[in-house]
Amino acid sequence: MKIDINTVAKKAGVSTATISRVLNNSTKVREVTRKKVLKVVKSLNYEIDATARSLRKKKTYAIGLIVENVLSYFYAIIVKSVEDVTVVNGYNSILCNTERDPDKELKYLKLLKSYNVEGIILLPTGKNSAYLNNLINNTNIKIVFIDRLVKDVNCNAVLVDNLNGTKKAIDYLIKRGYERIAIITGDVEDSSTAVDRLKGYLSSLKEAGIKKDNRLIKFGDYRWESGYKYTKELMEAKYKPDCIFISNANMALGAITVLRELNINIPDDLGVMCFDKPNYNDLLYTPLTCIEQPIYDLGAKAVNLLINEIESKDQQEIKKKKPEIITLQTNFLIKNSTK
Amino acid sequence: MKIDINTVAKKAGVSTATISRVLNNSTKVREVTRKKVLKVVKSLNYEIDATARSLRKKKTYAIGLIVENVLSYFYAIIVKSVEDVTVVNGYNSILCNTERDPDKELKYLKLLKSYNVEGIILLPTGKNSAYLNNLINNTNIKIVFIDRLVKDVNCNAVLVDNLNGTKKAIDYLIKRGYERIAIITGDVEDSSTAVDRLKGYLSSLKEAGIKKDNRLIKFGDYRWESGYKYTKELMEAKYKPDCIFISNANMALGAITVLRELNINIPDDLGVMCFDKPNYNDLLYTPLTCIEQPIYDLGAKAVNLLINEIESKDQQEIKKKKPEIITLQTNFLIKNSTK
DNA sequence: GTGAAAGCGCTAACAT
DNA sequence: ATGTTAGCGCTTTCAC
């Protein structure tokens, strides 16, 4: 029933080795033979069996991509860029969504190993460092982190300059006259991104001689709900901020939702700025002053790093050399959500 | 170097067959043996080789998902729902983006066949009917269309009731007093969705005794740009609509962008309604009256259909029975973009 | 209940 | 330039 290489070989009157050579673009085939084979291949609608080929070649041309959730625009862009660049290089990507659940992440890491992917691009939950080190040390699977690092795991990464991006943002807010700038950042336990954004915030305040005030610092989880929740907390407290800096777009959208419910006018009553540009920012009822990230590049560069490693001639060398960490710069966008 | 089933067998002091039995939950293993094997498996961090297993079992537990572009929220939801339901059933999904390019679609169909996926969920470009029929007739790969059909290809599908959804929308607009309702629909050549939405529009007009006017009918491509372009055309023409019905969210966002540029007020100067709810609709400067689609369900139901077919005992029966087409109902949301 | 061995569809080393 | 054949890592049939 299934058309395999034997069927093709028989019909073409040559051996399977020759078919294989044609299919793998070996030069050691006479032009006449090649033509004949290709004709038969086409006539039978034969497609090579990737499973068998992978097993034999020990090469799958597959990489895994683990993100949090494609429903977020940020991750969707990464998925798209990774796919684009992967395909251009003759590889395929397998997409996994962790939902920020370390168990799911672990499950997917194992799955991808089992699938013999040649590399993994990981937007990490921050846990699973033991298993990650196991992959790095005991297998040939290359790993590149994207957007954030994992404690105690040394490997290549492509990041955004969160520290300086945030510093520039807070400096701007201070210059505009804001005095009680609150921040809603991510979970500093799990995310190096959240840590750096908080650091940038604190550093700017310090330089301006403004004292850190814990009432103005909230730790969210980068989701809409936590932007909503902590903005509400901030605005219902006795000591209120005059401006809120929010560490990502999803939380910022939660924030402006609740601000409208509370009838708090932006920017008259409160300034709002965020890290990461919301999708269709200009169509929002309040386009947000924000730090735009080179998200597509983040994914594209990660794939390039990864494939370079995979295809490197000198695998010994690769194991030894220390991790390459690429840091991309951000872009400042001023809208009317700040005065 | 690589830990394979032989390594495990040797260390456990049993044959590879026994290891395999344990790993496949065969009942014919003594409890003591099973325990012993599992211990060794764990201690070696052994993960089964999915490639080898697939080749031998002729079962990959993989399905392909082909959509247009994850960057669109509509497709992102489908990707998410398909992954969710796929994983729950013990399968994995391979994501492919066609960018609406039939050549890319064909390439991916071939790739997925080569990967021995057991089924494909396809949001079709509308071309490639010959190859699709080849897959259906000559391979064991099951196919389910999602969102739209392909001419001359009979297979299972999960659709949205575009006709009635649109009818309800246009009926509403007429009842609200609009008299020159324009439509920007998709490409009726390629998309059954666009055809049905246009049909619903025409049918409502007819019932209300309003004559079809070609000046008010535009054919876009479901992308932001075409919403922008055709809205501009409509509003710069001599004969202008008093309301525009737009066939999807992306084009609607393009539309409201240009309407603002042209200083056309919604809904005072012009009513706007669309099929499909924009992401964060309520945060837009003009939340749109729209038809909400059960997108997550679309994907979830497609996976269920597909896996049912894949796992059906009676494969002969499957081949014979006529395609199942599930049509999901829409939801009407009234906002202030219509008077 | 367990082991030996064949074979899934392909590639690559070796032979001619 | 082409063919023969072993074997990638696993599962499954057949013996015992």
Side-chain angles (χ1 to χ4, degrees):
Chain A
M1 186 67 226
K2 170 157 187 183
I3 291 150
D4 62 11
I5 204 174
N6 290 295
T7 325
V8 180
K10 222 164 274 171
K11 181 145 184 219
V14 295
S15 75
T16 58
T18 299
I19 306 295
S20 176
R21 285 191 191 100
V22 172
L23 264 25
N24 287 282
N25 297 313
S26 158
T27 48
K28 311 188 171 209
V29 185
R30 255 195 313 167
E31 202 44 38
V32 206
T33 320
R34 176 188 306 280
K35 286 255 169 65
K36 188 172 59 180
V37 168
L38 287 176
K39 213 163 146 189
V40 175
V41 164
K42 193 151 198 184
S43 79
L44 291 174
N45 255 317
Y46 170 71
E47 237 92 54
I48 207 164
D49 186 312
T51 312
R53 169 189 264 181
S54 293
L55 179 60
R56 179 60 233 240
K57 280 196 151 181
K58 318 217 102 305
K59 195 101 179 80
T60 54
Y61 292 100
I63 69 158
L65 169 60
I66 304 184
V67 297
E68 181 178 331
N69 185 338
V70 273
L71 289 182
S72 261
Y73 192 58
F74 178 85
Y75 301 115
I77 297 175
I78 288 181
V79 169
K80 187 60 174 42
S81 65
V82 167
E83 199 217 328
D84 285 353
V85 183
T86 301
V87 166
V88 164
N89 284 280
Y91 286 71
N92 288 102
S93 55
I94 300 175
L95 172 65
C96 313
N97 290 238
T98 62
E99 311 290 343
R100 234 157 220 262
D101 173 351
D103 293 339
K104 270 197 161 189
E105 181 179 66
L106 183 59
K107 211 195 75 196
Y108 278 127
L109 287 171
K110 289 183 176 175
L111 183 87
L112 292 173
K113 179 187 169 200
S114 151
Y115 273 28
N116 296 305
V117 294
E118 320 207 4
I120 296 175
I121 293 180
L122 176 59
L123 217 147
T125 62
K127 312 288 184 187
N128 294 319
S129 54
Y131 193 77
L132 286 167
N133 278 320
N134 162 40
L135 283 182
I136 292 168
N137 297 324
N138 305 324
T139 76
N140 207 24
I141 299 172
K142 307 292 185 289
I143 297 184
V144 173
F145 291 145
I146 198 166
D147 190 55
R148 39 187 188 250
L149 300 172
V150 178
K151 236 182 291 182
D152 305 324
V153 181
N154 275 314
C155 77
N156 289 352
V158 185
L159 307 174
V160 161
D161 191 342
N162 293 295
L163 187 75
N164 285 313
T166 309
K167 273 200 71 170
K168 257 188 277 176
I170 305 295
D171 285 350
Y172 172 81
L173 294 174
I174 293 170
K175 206 158 45 180
R176 302 301 291 175
Y178 289 109
E179 294 172 338
R180 299 184 307 284
I181 302 169
I183 183 169
I184 301 178
T185 185
D187 184 344
V188 288
E189 282 293 302
D190 296 340
S191 151
S192 64
T193 307
V195 172
D196 285 350
R197 290 179 194 168
L198 183 59
K199 265 191 202 156
Y201 165 84
L202 293 173
S203 146
S204 278
L205 291 194
K206 195 166 190 178
E207 281 172 23
I210 301 174
K211 261 183 54 189
K212 169 183 166 186
D213 187 328
N214 284 328
R215 290 172 296 183
L216 298 181
I217 301 178
K218 300 285 177 185
F219 299 93
D221 66 1
Y222 285 140
R223 295 202 183 97
W224 188 92
E225 290 78 7
S226 76
Y228 184 99
K229 177 180 162 196
Y230 290 113
T231 301
K232 195 166 185 180
E233 268 185 38
L234 285 166
M235 299 315 292
E236 286 176 344
K238 259 169 252 151
Y239 184 70
K240 293 182 178 55
D242 58 1
C243 183
I244 306 183
F245 178 81
I246 300 160
S247 256
N248 81 337
N250 286 340
M251 292 197 295
L253 294 171
I256 63 176
T257 303
V258 71
L259 289 173
R260 189 153 61 166
E261 285 173 19
L262 297 172
N263 265 317
I264 293 169
N265 190 281
I266 306 167
D268 294 345
D269 305 333
L270 182 78
V272 174
M273 173 163 191
C274 70
F275 204 103
D276 197 19
K277 181 165 91 72
N279 192 13
Y280 292 115
N281 191 24
D282 286 334
L283 294 181
L284 296 180
Y285 81 90
T286 315
L288 298 173
T289 298
C290 60
I291 310 279
E292 191 181 22
Q293 307 183 74
I295 313 179
Y296 192 94
D297 255 30
L298 216 55
K301 290 229 158 62
V303 177
N304 287 332
L305 257 185
L306 191 65
I307 293 185
N308 268 342
E309 282 221 342
I310 291 171
E311 298 191 340
S312 160
K313 300 286 167 237
D314 195 344
Q315 291 291 327
Q316 302 293 336
E317 190 61 21
I318 291 272
K319 285 261 174 193
K320 272 180 237 149
K321 87 178 205 315
K322 65 177 214 185
E324 188 168 347
I325 302 205
I326 299 178
T327 304
L328 305 177
Q329 293 309 307
T330 54
N331 191 15
F332 203 105
L333 290 182
I334 297 176
K335 301 286 171 179
N336 293 323
S337 69
T338 47
K339 66 184 180 199
Chain B
M1 184 68 226
K2 171 157 186 182
I3 290 150
D4 62 9
I5 204 172
N6 290 296
T7 325
V8 181
K10 224 164 273 171
K11 180 144 184 219
V14 296
S15 74
T16 58
T18 298
I19 307 292
S20 176
R21 286 190 191 102
V22 171
L23 264 27
N24 288 282
N25 296 313
S26 159
T27 49
K28 308 182 174 223
V29 185
R30 257 195 311 168
E31 202 44 38
V32 205
T33 320
R34 176 187 307 281
K35 286 253 169 67
K36 188 172 60 182
V37 168
L38 287 176
K39 213 164 149 187
V40 176
V41 164
K42 194 152 198 182
S43 79
L44 290 174
N45 256 319
Y46 171 70
E47 236 94 54
I48 206 163
D49 186 312
T51 312
R53 168 188 263 182
S54 292
L55 178 60
R56 180 59 232 242
K57 278 196 152 180
K58 318 218 102 306
K59 194 101 179 82
T60 54
Y61 292 99
I63 69 159
L65 169 61
I66 305 183
V67 297
E68 182 178 330
N69 185 338
V70 273
L71 288 182
S72 261
Y73 193 58
F74 178 85
Y75 301 115
I77 297 176
I78 287 180
V79 170
K80 188 60 173 42
S81 65
V82 167
E83 199 217 329
D84 285 353
V85 183
T86 301
V87 166
V88 164
N89 284 280
Y91 285 71
N92 289 103
S93 55
I94 300 174
L95 172 65
C96 313
N97 290 234
T98 61
E99 309 292 341
R100 231 157 223 265
D101 174 350
D103 293 339
K104 270 198 160 188
E105 180 178 65
L106 183 59
K107 213 195 74 196
Y108 278 128
L109 287 170
K110 289 182 176 174
L111 183 86
L112 291 172
K113 179 187 170 197
S114 152
Y115 272 29
N116 295 305
V117 295
E118 320 206 5
I120 297 174
I121 293 180
L122 175 59
L123 218 147
T125 62
K127 312 288 186 190
N128 294 319
S129 54
Y131 193 77
L132 286 168
N133 278 319
N134 162 40
L135 284 182
I136 292 168
N137 298 324
N138 305 325
T139 77
N140 206 24
I141 299 172
K142 307 293 185 292
I143 297 183
V144 173
F145 291 144
I146 199 166
D147 190 56
R148 38 186 188 250
L149 300 172
V150 179
K151 235 183 290 181
D152 305 323
V153 181
N154 275 313
C155 77
N156 289 352
V158 185
L159 308 174
V160 160
D161 191 341
N162 293 296
L163 187 74
N164 286 311
T166 310
K167 273 200 71 170
K168 259 189 276 178
I170 306 295
D171 285 349
Y172 172 82
L173 295 174
I174 293 172
K175 206 157 47 180
R176 303 301 292 175
Y178 289 109
E179 294 174 338
R180 299 183 309 284
I181 303 168
I183 184 170
I184 302 177
T185 187
D187 185 343
V188 289
E189 282 294 302
D190 295 340
S191 151
S192 63
T193 306
V195 171
D196 285 349
R197 291 179 194 168
L198 183 59
K199 266 191 201 158
Y201 166 84
L202 293 174
S203 146
S204 279
L205 291 193
K206 195 164 189 183
E207 281 173 21
I210 301 173
K211 260 183 57 189
K212 168 182 168 186
D213 187 327
N214 284 328
R215 290 171 296 181
L216 298 181
I217 301 178
K218 299 287 177 185
F219 299 94
D221 65 1
Y222 285 140
R223 294 202 184 98
W224 188 92
E225 290 78 8
S226 74
Y228 184 101
K229 178 179 161 200
Y230 290 114
T231 301
K232 194 166 186 181
E233 267 186 38
L234 284 166
M235 299 314 292
E236 286 176 345
K238 258 169 254 152
Y239 184 71
K240 292 182 180 53
D242 58 2
C243 183
I244 306 184
F245 178 81
I246 300 159
S247 259
N248 81 337
N250 286 340
M251 291 196 296
L253 294 171
I256 63 176
T257 303
V258 71
L259 289 173
R260 189 154 59 168
E261 285 173 20
L262 297 173
N263 265 317
I264 293 170
N265 189 281
I266 305 167
D268 295 344
D269 304 335
L270 181 78
V272 174
M273 175 164 189
C274 71
F275 204 104
D276 198 17
K277 181 166 93 72
N279 193 12
Y280 292 114
N281 190 25
D282 287 333
L283 295 181
L284 297 179
Y285 81 90
T286 315
L288 298 174
T289 298
C290 61
I291 310 280
E292 190 181 22
Q293 307 184 74
I295 312 179
Y296 192 94
D297 255 31
L298 217 55
K301 291 231 157 63
V303 177
N304 286 332
L305 257 184
L306 191 63
I307 293 186
N308 268 341
E309 281 219 344
I310 291 171
E311 299 191 338
S312 161
K313 300 286 167 235
D314 195 345
Q315 292 290 328
Q316 301 294 337
E317 189 62 20
I318 292 273
K319 285 261 173 195
K320 271 179 238 149
K321 86 179 205 312
K322 65 179 217 184
E324 189 168 345
I325 301 202
I326 298 178
T327 305
L328 304 178
Q329 293 308 307
T330 54
N331 191 15
F332 202 105
L333 291 182
I334 297 176
K335 300 285 173 182
N336 293 323
S337 70
T338 47
K339 66 182 180 202

